[in-house]
Amino acid sequence: MKVAVIVLLTIIVAVCVTASVGYVASQKLDCETLVFSTNKKISLKIAHISDLHFPFNGVELTEILDAVKNAKPDVIALTGDMLDDDGDKEDVISLGKFFAALAKIARCYLVIGNHEIGSPLLDYFIEVTAESGVIALDNKAEFVPVEGGRLAVI
């Protein structure tokens, strides 16, 4: 009995710590610059946005948009969980406006995340995304011309 209580308390503490770290991380904008080298002379700047969980993220969409504009990317990758499970139609509309602004900066691609898939608004989200000019990748590849070749976005 004593071991079971210790195991249960350990699990509860681990879950609380994990949730706290996730919450704190979602309250700030983290921008990094990574440089990759290849044997080809290709110049490409990619802005990567992931796990917004809008509207419950702690960073305003305008702040993210400003950071992307300042980065001057060639391509923007939106890699899932843009919308939180509890988002509503107004949140999808707000994301659509954000996506449209991103699409004016650079070619923009979206991969649907588990939070969008689990949302009853999935079809509406995909419709708004398409109207915004963002390309949703659904089991397909797009080829982006870059200096010295082309980039496959899968």
Side-chain angles (χ1 to χ4, degrees):
M1 177 72 173
K2 200 174 197 179
V3 172
V5 170
I6 291 172
V7 169
L8 181 60
L9 288 174
T10 302
I11 291 170
I12 291 170
V13 168
V15 168
C16 289
V17 167
T18 301
S20 297
V21 168
Y23 175 78
V24 169
S26 72
Q27 301 304 304
K28 65 182 182 70
L29 179 60
D30 186 17
C31 298
E32 295 180 42
T33 300
L34 305 173
V35 178
F36 299 93
S37 298
T38 69
N39 58 355
K40 295 186 177 189
K41 296 201 182 242
I42 296 174
S43 175
L44 180 69
K45 190 181 282 191
I46 302 170
H48 175 223
I49 302 170
S50 186
D51 294 283
L52 282 181
H53 294 278
F54 186 80
F56 301 109
N57 56 311
V59 180
E60 295 292 325
L61 295 179
T62 54
E63 184 180 350
I64 298 168
L65 187 59
D66 288 343
V68 173
K69 281 180 187 173
N70 290 335
K72 298 180 176 83
D74 301 301
V75 175
I76 301 170
L78 305 170
T79 57
D81 296 347
M82 298 293 109
L83 180 67
D84 196 76
D85 295 334
D86 295 324
D88 59 25
K89 277 194 163 194
E90 290 302 316
D91 298 324
V92 174
I93 291 167
S94 294
L95 279 174
K97 291 175 184 176
F98 173 65
F99 291 168
L102 289 173
K104 288 179 182 175
I105 297 169
R107 188 175 277 189
C108 195
Y109 297 96
L110 171 83
V111 177
I112 301 293
N114 63 305
H115 286 269
E116 288 91 15
I117 288 173
S119 170
L121 297 172
L122 175 62
D123 292 337
Y124 185 62
F125 177 81
I126 291 171
E127 178 186 321
V128 169
T129 298
E131 291 170 358
S132 74
V134 170
I135 300 164
L137 297 173
D138 185 17
N139 294 322
K140 65 180 179 180
E142 291 277 328
F143 293 92
V144 179
V146 295
E147 179 184 324
R150 60 189 191 150
L151 170 72
V153 181
I154 302 173

